[in-house]
């Protein structure tokens, strides 16, 4: 009973997140999500390679695991007092998927090697505001997607220490739509839609140390990938009389950083049944200084734009635990606190970000010796955050960002299937 | 959506019960209150700006976005009552001469011009809609201060006649019969504008005709009567003062120096004048406008000039920076012969189409005088005043709203409609918000502002 009490305590304590600060997604693996998305000091399945390729040698079996999360995210906006205007983002579900595999090569080559391939979505965002909402000239909708394909290799020197590295091929796509404050004869506003994609190369490094069999320490580093969108489509839908000023089929170039992450943590087996873990992640958001839109064709009306973002590096702290109910079934819970990289005066409707707290729960059930199913549920709540006109004046962003209060609440269930051999 | 409902249900039953946290964003929303004001019976008294006249016509869509109607909608959350406007039927509307509203049109060369939306305006005058009243919006296009007190004003102004209860009831009387608890009064613009729009040809010293400036004592008496009667039953309200008419686009669209000449054209004009002037004229050279290559002031008529005795047709000169050319000047008249009479070059622009430097100064001074009367009368009765010239000045610099900027720039700015005098929808929305700000401050109310971005400026073809 004592053990159960501990698990309940973990469940009801704050545990956190599925969606990271900024546009970071904390949805690498369903098993990891269940315990606060801890994966760096933890070596249970192939998904750990995305956190820490140094885990490759520690993962007990070869295996593949794949699944998806389902994001139900609701962001609310309240205009500055005394306005009673409020709005919520449109309902929509996204499916950030993940697939991971790891192969022990013990039989093929001498030494304790593991290789793997991971496909996951570390960054992403999808925000659709109701058509014609108050901040329509800042943003109507945005979809930001990323897919990382990461082959990894890890080597375990001995029972205590292992290292690993991965190569990342990243793909990113963005679609951003805004209304322009120019109306046609029917009163419909003009609109601009930016659509583009890019690829980039990066890497992942990891170290795992198990000084005693009950304790595992891990450090992982994933490099920054700069997504340079070249000649993306910039569609301007404007009244025909002013198409000269807004060429309907323009192009744009922009760069969006997918920042580096340094992650480290510790997990400990308290007993045969109970493991607890803690992890801290530092994300290099400093890299996102501005959104610079460089249009292919400029006119007097259409100049390139520079919108300041000035993100700052930010931390995520995670705490989680796992309880083995039986040989077939493990339960997990976790909590994390994700600090926003967005400073006062730089909050935008595409990332109306504030500090977030998240509680997670999960379970794994072995259907057979080889086949298991993982399930996770993440609840995430951002702090209600108000951006005032004073904030924007101090930041020098008056008129470039909306004022008002934002809050996000998300429910993210997930499921994956795992086959080990 | 079913999934969402299930999740919500799950959330409310499990999460809120056990973890005391929320399932969706919850805000501490402000609750609108009227404060010391009472919006249950709001009456708007004024001229075309109150009526929702725009694009040189009274038409339904513009009436629906009149600032009083926008205010009344916001008042609803704070104890406001119903607000009835004397709406015309949907259509192209009409000005006093039966012309349809203006829309923006693009010429083949890419330039924009306001043109009537239809050949003929809508018939809005032949049938009285008095039985649809009583009306809360008592804005009457064309009304001057003292008109609002005239019992038989319905016989003089068809815009009032179309909805007046009868021919013996003044606008003010209709207002007080509603027993208002709250009012806005915006009057006085036409008391100066009528004169300015006539090119200053009316009586500047004070007169009661359309083209005259209203005598100061008449204006003052009218304001005192209007405000004392509107407040007689304890109603609270707000006064909007008089815009400085020389700043509105209709006086500024055509630049004083809009005459672009090549060196040859300038010389040809000089030669033309030289030839036309009589040889006996003393100081003959001084009558020849100084045409130069590049931008030149238009040649305008100036009846105040001192000229050689008996030569009144020599009362012309080149416009200076302080002179205003009215947008009402027929545009083809500025074309050189044979396309047009060549006003501004070969012949002076007639006086009725210009507001000359001295006249613009009279308009400015009268505005100041009228506004100081409005201020002192309102202050005596403890009625707050919205300073319209201040708002227009801020708009010239640009007012930020919801990620865009409102400016006074004609066509593109969003403040003015296509007639260059009256407000566009977006201008009315900004004005409503400025009024709400004062109401909230002065009466301790908390009325929610409108979203200015919901309202358009001039619409483009």
């Amino acid at each position: 009973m004592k053990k159960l009490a501990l698990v309940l305590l973990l469940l009801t304590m704050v545990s956190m997140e599925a969606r990271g600060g900024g546009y970071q997604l904390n949805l690498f693996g369903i098993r990891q999500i269940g315990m606060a998305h801890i994966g760096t000091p933890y070596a249970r399945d192939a998904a750990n390679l995305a956190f820490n390729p140094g885990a490759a040698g520690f993962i007990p079996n070869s295996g593949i695991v794949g699944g998806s999360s389902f994001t139900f995210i609701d962001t609310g906006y309240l205009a500055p007092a005394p306005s009673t205007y409020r709005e919520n983002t449109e309902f929509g579900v996204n499916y950030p998927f993940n697939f991971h595999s790891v192969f022990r090569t013990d039989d093929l080559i001498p030494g304790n090697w593991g290789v793997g391939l991971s496909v996951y979505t570390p960054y992403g965002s999808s925000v659709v505001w109701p058509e014609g909402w108050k901040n329509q000239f800042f943003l109507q909708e945005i979809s930001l997607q990323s897919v990382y394909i990461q082959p990894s290799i890890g080597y375990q020197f001995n029972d205590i220490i292992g290292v690993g590295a991965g190569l990342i091929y990243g793909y990113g796509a963005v679609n951003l739509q805004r209304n322009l404050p120019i109306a046609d004869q029917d009163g419909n506003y003009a609109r601009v839609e930016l659509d583009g994609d890019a690829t980039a190369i990066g890497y992942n490094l990891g170290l795992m140390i198990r000084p005693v069999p009950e304790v595992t320490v891990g450090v992982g580093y994933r490099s920054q990938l700069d997504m340079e969108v070249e000649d993306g489509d910039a569609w301007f839908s404007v009244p025909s009389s002013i198409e000269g000023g807004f060429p309907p089929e323009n192009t744009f170039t922009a760069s969006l950083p997918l920042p580096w992450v340094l992650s480290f943590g510790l997990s400990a087996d308290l007993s045969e049944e109970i493991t607890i873990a803690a992890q801290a992640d530092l994300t290099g958001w400093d890299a996102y200084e501005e959104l610079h839109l460089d249009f292919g064709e400029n006119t007097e009306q259409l100049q390139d734009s520079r919108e300041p973002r000035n993100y700052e590096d930010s931390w995520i702290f995670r705490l989680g635990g796992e309880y083995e109910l039986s040989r077939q079934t493990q339960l997990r819970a976790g909590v994390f606190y994700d600090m926003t990289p967005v400073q006062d005066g730089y909050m935008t409707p595409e990332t109306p970000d504030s500090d977030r707290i998240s509680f997670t729960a999960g379970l794994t059930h072995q259907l057979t010796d080889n086949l298991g199913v993982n399930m996770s549920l993440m609840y995430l709540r951002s702090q209600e955050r108000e951006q005032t006109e004073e904030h924007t004046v101090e930041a020098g962003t008056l008129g470039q960002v909306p004022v008002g209060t934002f809050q996000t609440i998300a429910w993210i269930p997930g499921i994956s299937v795992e086959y080990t051999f | 959506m079913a999934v969402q409902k299930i999740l919500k249900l799950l959330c409310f039953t499990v999460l809120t019960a056990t973890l005391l946290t929320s399932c969706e964003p919850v805000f501490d929303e402000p609750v609108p209150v009227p404060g010391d004001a009472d919006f249950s019976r709001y009456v708007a008294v004024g001229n075309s700006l109150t009526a929702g006249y725009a694009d040189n016509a009274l038409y339904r869509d513009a009436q629906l976005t009149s600032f009083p109607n926008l205010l009344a909608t916001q008042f609803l959350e704070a104890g406001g009552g119903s607000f009835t406007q004397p709406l015309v039927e949907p259509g192209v509307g009409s000005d006093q001469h039966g012309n349809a509203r203006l829309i923006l049109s693009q010429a083949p060369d890419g330039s924009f011009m306001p043109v009537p939306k239809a050949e003929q305006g809508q018939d809005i005058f032949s049938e009285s809609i008095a039985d649809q009243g009583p009306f809360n919006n008592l804005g009457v296009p064309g009304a001057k201060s003292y008109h609002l007190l005239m019992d038989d004003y319905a016989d003089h102004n068809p815009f009032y006649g179309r909805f007046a209860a009868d021919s013996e009831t003044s606008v003010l009387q209709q207002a007080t019969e509603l027993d208002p608890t709250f009012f806005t009064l915006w009057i006085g613009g036409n008391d100066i504008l009528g004169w300015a729009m006539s090119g200053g040809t009316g009586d500047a010293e004070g007169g009661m005709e359309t083209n005259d400036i209203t005598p100061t004592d008449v204006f003052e008496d009218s304001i005192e009567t209007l405000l004392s009667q509107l407040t007689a039953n304890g109603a609270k309200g707000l006064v909007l003062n008089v815009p400085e008419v020389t700043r509105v686009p209709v006086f500024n669209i055509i630049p004083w120096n809009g005459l672009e000449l090549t060196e040859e054209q300038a010389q040809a004009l000089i030669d033309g004048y030289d030839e036309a002037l009589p040889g006996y004229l003393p100081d003959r050279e001084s009558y020849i406008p100084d045409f130069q290559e590049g931008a030149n002031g238009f040649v305008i008529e100036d009846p105040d000039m001192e000229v050689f005795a008996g030569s009144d047709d020599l009362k012309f000169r080149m416009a200076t920076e302080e002179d205003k050319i009215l947008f009402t000047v027929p545009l083809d008249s500025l074309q050189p012969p044979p396309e047009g009479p060549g006003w501004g070059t070969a012949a002076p622009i007639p006086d009725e189409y210009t507001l000359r430097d001295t006249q613009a100064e009279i308009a400015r001074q009268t505005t100041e005088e009228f506004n100081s009367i409005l201020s002192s009368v309102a202050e005596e009765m403890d009625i707050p005043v919205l300073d319209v010239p201040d708002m227009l000045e801020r708009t010239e610099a640009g007012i930020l709203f919801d990620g865009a900027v409102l400016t006074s720039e004609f066509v593109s700015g969003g403040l003015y409609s296509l007639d260059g005098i009256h407000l566009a929808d977006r201008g009315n929305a900004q004005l409503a918000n400025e009024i709400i700000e004062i109401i909230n401050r002065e009466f301790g109310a908390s009325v929610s502002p409108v979203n200015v971005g919901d309202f358009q400026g001039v619409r483009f073809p």
Side-chain angles (χ1 to χ4, degrees):
Chain A
M1 280 315 287
K2 216 176 165 186
K3 286 168 189 168
L4 188 62
L6 180 63
V7 173
L8 281 174
L9 181 67
L10 278 173
L11 264 168
T12 52
M13 266 176 57
V14 193
S15 159
M16 337 238 178
E17 165 164 5
R19 191 182 169 198
Y23 39 84
Q24 186 168 192
L25 292 167
N26 288 299
L27 302 168
F28 288 8
I30 302 301
R31 186 190 287 262
Q32 290 73 15
I33 293 169
M35 47 186 285
H37 203 247
I38 292 173
T40 306
Y42 179 78
R44 289 288 202 282
D45 71 14
N48 287 108
L49 294 185
F51 295 83
N52 179 359
F58 288 90
I59 296 168
N61 307 99
S62 295
I64 56 176
V65 57
S68 184
S69 291
F70 305 87
T71 62
F72 299 85
I73 299 175
D74 186 358
T75 298
Y77 168 78
L78 177 68
S83 176
T84 55
Y85 178 86
R86 66 160 296 170
E87 202 57 87
N88 285 64
T89 49
E90 299 280 8
F91 176 74
V93 192
N94 282 283
Y95 314 94
F97 61 89
N98 57 80
F99 166 84
H100 306 272
S101 61
V102 63
F103 302 97
R104 306 297 311 248
T105 56
D106 314 16
D107 306 335
L108 303 175
I109 41 175
N112 201 352
W113 293 88
V115 298
L117 180 72
S118 293
V119 182
Y120 56 107
T121 57
Y123 297 94
S125 161
S126 175
V127 181
V128 181
W129 291 97
E131 188 57 40
W133 80 302
K134 185 177 168 73
N135 294 305
Q136 61 188 318
F137 307 131
F138 293 114
L139 185 81
Q140 263 303 145
E141 58 180 274
I142 187 170
S143 160
L144 181 70
Q145 294 168 317
S146 73
V147 178
Y148 279 16
I149 300 171
Q150 178 194 323
S152 318
I153 182 162
Y155 181 72
Q156 196 179 12
F157 293 101
N158 50 40
D159 287 348
I160 295 173
I161 189 159
V163 295
L167 182 71
I168 297 169
Y169 175 77
Y171 169 81
V174 66
N175 180 288
L176 183 153
Q177 299 180 39
R178 285 175 185 167
N179 285 342
L180 304 174
I182 309 163
D184 67 14
Q185 295 286 19
D186 298 323
N188 300 312
Y189 280 130
R191 196 175 182 97
V192 55
E193 177 174 354
L194 305 176
D195 191 279
D197 57 9
T199 58
I201 301 286
Y203 62 90
N204 201 343
L205 300 174
L207 167 70
M208 185 168 272
I209 302 171
R210 188 168 282 168
V212 291
E214 293 81 16
V215 176
T216 308
V217 177
V219 181
Y221 176 79
R222 201 174 67 243
S223 72
Q224 177 175 321
L225 273 68
D226 285 313
M227 290 295 171
E228 313 265 356
V229 178
E230 298 278 346
D231 291 331
D233 293 312
W235 290 296
F236 283 86
S237 161
V238 300
S240 58
S241 63
I242 55 168
E243 280 180 354
F246 301 92
E249 292 185 16
N250 208 335
T251 61
F252 78 101
T253 296
S255 173
L256 191 71
L258 302 180
W260 54 261
V261 177
L262 175 67
S263 164
F264 54 91
L266 178 147
S267 71
D269 299 332
L270 300 184
S271 70
E272 287 284 307
E273 293 87 8
I274 293 178
T275 302
I276 59 165
Q279 179 179 320
D281 302 344
L282 179 63
T283 307
W285 282 114
D286 234 11
Y288 194 23
E289 285 174 4
E290 63 172 13
L291 179 61
H292 177 201
L293 298 175
D294 182 355
F295 292 105
E297 188 180 340
N298 290 113
T299 66
E300 195 185 324
Q301 290 81 21
L302 182 65
Q303 300 293 322
D304 295 341
S305 76
R306 288 178 179 274
E307 299 169 25
R309 292 292 181 264
N310 280 355
Y311 280 24
E312 292 188 358
D313 294 350
S314 73
W315 285 95
I316 306 175
F317 300 102
R318 309 172 192 274
L319 191 61
E322 187 173 54
Y323 174 71
E324 190 165 290
L325 196 64
S326 69
R327 286 296 301 274
Q328 281 75 38
T329 308
Q330 295 124 40
L331 303 176
R332 295 181 198 92
V335 55
F336 65 89
Y337 193 76
D338 184 354
M339 298 165 83
T340 180
V342 181
Q343 308 306 300
D344 283 341
Y346 294 97
M347 193 162 56
T348 62
E350 61 259 30
T351 317
D353 205 51
S354 63
D355 290 356
R356 295 158 175 188
I357 190 162
S358 174
F359 299 88
T360 69
L363 70 83
T364 293
H365 185 70
Q366 287 298 134
L367 303 172
T368 71
D369 280 350
N370 299 111
L371 190 67
V373 59
N374 302 310
M375 287 189 276
S376 65
L377 181 63
M378 178 181 285
Y379 166 78
L380 179 145
R381 182 166 59 88
S382 78
Q383 310 251 333
E384 193 176 303
R385 182 174 187 185
E386 181 173 18
Q387 183 157 270
T388 64
E389 195 171 300
E390 290 72 53
H391 287 142
T392 67
V393 170
E394 277 168 30
T397 56
L398 178 68
Q400 297 180 56
V401 292
V403 289
T405 306
F406 290 92
Q407 187 181 33
T408 297
I409 287 186
W411 285 91
I412 305 175
I415 188 164
S416 68
V417 176
E418 184 171 355
Y419 184 78
T420 52
F421 48 90
Chain B
M1 292 307 280
V3 185
Q4 192 185 25
K5 275 184 189 148
I6 293 165
L7 273 173
K8 272 194 180 156
L9 186 69
L10 188 80
C11 176
F12 281 114
T13 51
V14 180
L15 192 80
T16 46
T18 56
L19 298 181
L20 299 174
T21 185
S22 52
C23 305
E24 54 183 29
V26 176
F27 298 116
D28 208 358
E29 292 175 33
V31 180
V33 293
D36 300 333
D38 174 356
F39 304 121
S40 54
R41 289 186 304 282
Y42 163 45
V43 173
V45 181
N47 53 31
S48 50
L49 293 160
T50 291
Y53 188 99
D55 302 313
N56 195 45
L58 188 69
Y59 66 99
R60 191 185 184 96
D61 287 348
Q63 287 181 292
L64 292 173
T65 52
S66 70
F67 79 86
N69 201 39
L70 299 182
L71 279 181
T73 306
Q74 299 312 105
F75 288 164
L76 284 176
E77 292 181 319
S82 67
F83 189 80
T84 309
Q85 298 200 100
L87 295 174
V88 303
E89 292 298 313
V92 296
S94 176
D95 70 356
Q96 59 178 324
H97 307 296
N99 296 310
R101 62 165 290 207
L102 299 171
I103 57 169
L104 195 64
S105 159
Q106 191 177 33
D109 70 355
S111 64
F112 290 104
M113 276 302 295
V115 297
K117 189 173 184 182
E119 247 172 68
Q120 280 245 306
Q122 184 184 344
D123 173 19
I124 62 171
F125 299 120
S126 61
E127 263 182 64
S128 165
I129 57 161
D131 59 344
Q132 295 171 23
F135 298 107
N136 298 72
N137 188 332
L138 297 169
V140 179
K144 298 188 180 190
S145 57
Y146 57 90
H147 288 152
L148 302 179
L149 311 175
M150 285 166 53
D151 289 341
D152 62 348
Y153 189 48
D155 294 339
H156 297 278
N157 185 335
F159 285 110
Y160 184 45
R162 58 177 284 273
F163 72 88
D166 52 54
S167 293
E168 287 116 41
T169 310
S170 71
V171 175
L172 177 60
Q173 202 179 333
Q174 276 202 218
T176 53
E177 274 172 10
L178 277 167
D179 189 19
T181 58
F182 194 83
F183 69 89
T184 53
L185 175 68
W186 192 8
I187 198 69
N190 291 327
D191 296 66
I192 302 167
L193 186 70
W195 176 79
M197 287 299 288
S198 75
T201 55
D203 192 345
E205 300 298 314
M208 309 292 274
E209 298 297 325
T210 307
N211 293 348
D212 299 340
I213 290 181
T214 303
T216 308
D217 54 337
V218 173
F219 180 76
E220 185 161 10
D221 288 350
S222 304
I223 297 300
E224 276 175 0
T225 308
L226 285 162
L227 287 179
S228 58
Q229 291 205 26
L230 285 169
T231 54
N233 63 355
K236 299 249 190 302
L238 180 135
V239 169
L240 296 96
N241 67 7
V242 181
E244 206 220 274
V245 296
T246 58
R247 293 186 101 121
V248 303
V250 75
F251 295 103
N252 296 291
I253 298 165
I254 302 178
W256 65 274
N257 61 347
L259 180 60
E260 286 286 337
L261 297 175
T262 63
E263 199 181 339
E264 293 74 37
Q265 287 171 323
Q267 193 55 52
L269 281 166
I270 289 170
D271 295 346
Y273 274 87
D274 194 24
E275 223 166 276
L277 288 170
Y280 57 83
L281 197 65
D283 206 8
R284 198 166 165 278
E285 295 289 303
S286 70
Y287 293 96
I288 302 175
D290 184 22
F291 295 109
Q292 307 267 355
E293 182 184 359
N296 289 266
F298 284 108
V299 178
I300 61 171
E301 187 188 352
D302 184 353
D304 294 345
M305 274 172 70
E306 306 246 337
V307 291
F308 185 64
S311 307
D312 279 359
D313 57 344
L314 293 181
K315 291 186 171 180
F316 60 79
R317 61 177 171 85
M318 205 174 245
T320 68
E321 199 175 348
E322 302 302 317
D323 296 312
K324 310 273 185 194
I325 317 280
L326 271 62
F327 191 49
T328 48
V329 66
L331 282 190
D332 50 5
S333 68
L334 298 179
Q335 300 281 337
E339 286 84 13
W343 287 357
T345 48
I349 297 175
D351 191 38
E352 70 225 67
Y353 296 116
T354 65
L355 196 66
R356 282 172 284 114
D357 48 4
T358 50
Q359 296 170 323
E361 187 53 33
I362 290 170
R364 276 190 286 270
Q365 281 177 3
T366 314
T367 305
E368 268 178 40
E369 197 179 347
F370 283 12
N371 280 344
S372 80
I373 290 169
L374 281 166
S375 292
S376 62
V377 176
E379 195 181 342
E380 233 167 73
M381 302 189 192
D382 217 10
I383 302 167
V385 177
L386 187 150
D387 189 17
V388 177
D390 171 68
M391 176 186 160
L392 296 187
E393 208 164 301
R394 280 183 289 114
T395 317
E396 280 170 24
I399 294 177
L400 290 170
F401 71 92
D402 303 344
V405 186
L406 178 79
T407 75
S408 55
E409 199 71 25
F410 187 54
V411 178
S412 64
L415 180 69
Y416 292 107
S417 72
L418 283 169
D419 57 32
I421 297 173
H422 298 97
L423 300 178
D425 293 354
R426 192 173 287 167
N428 272 293
Q430 176 62 30
L431 178 62
N433 281 357
E434 305 243 343
I435 293 170
I436 286 170
E437 198 182 321
I438 293 178
I439 288 174
N440 287 345
R441 190 176 62 226
E442 296 296 322
F443 300 120
S446 171
V447 176
S448 176
V450 302
N451 288 336
V452 177
D454 289 351
F455 299 89
Q456 286 88 17
V458 164
R459 298 176 178 196
F460 284 78

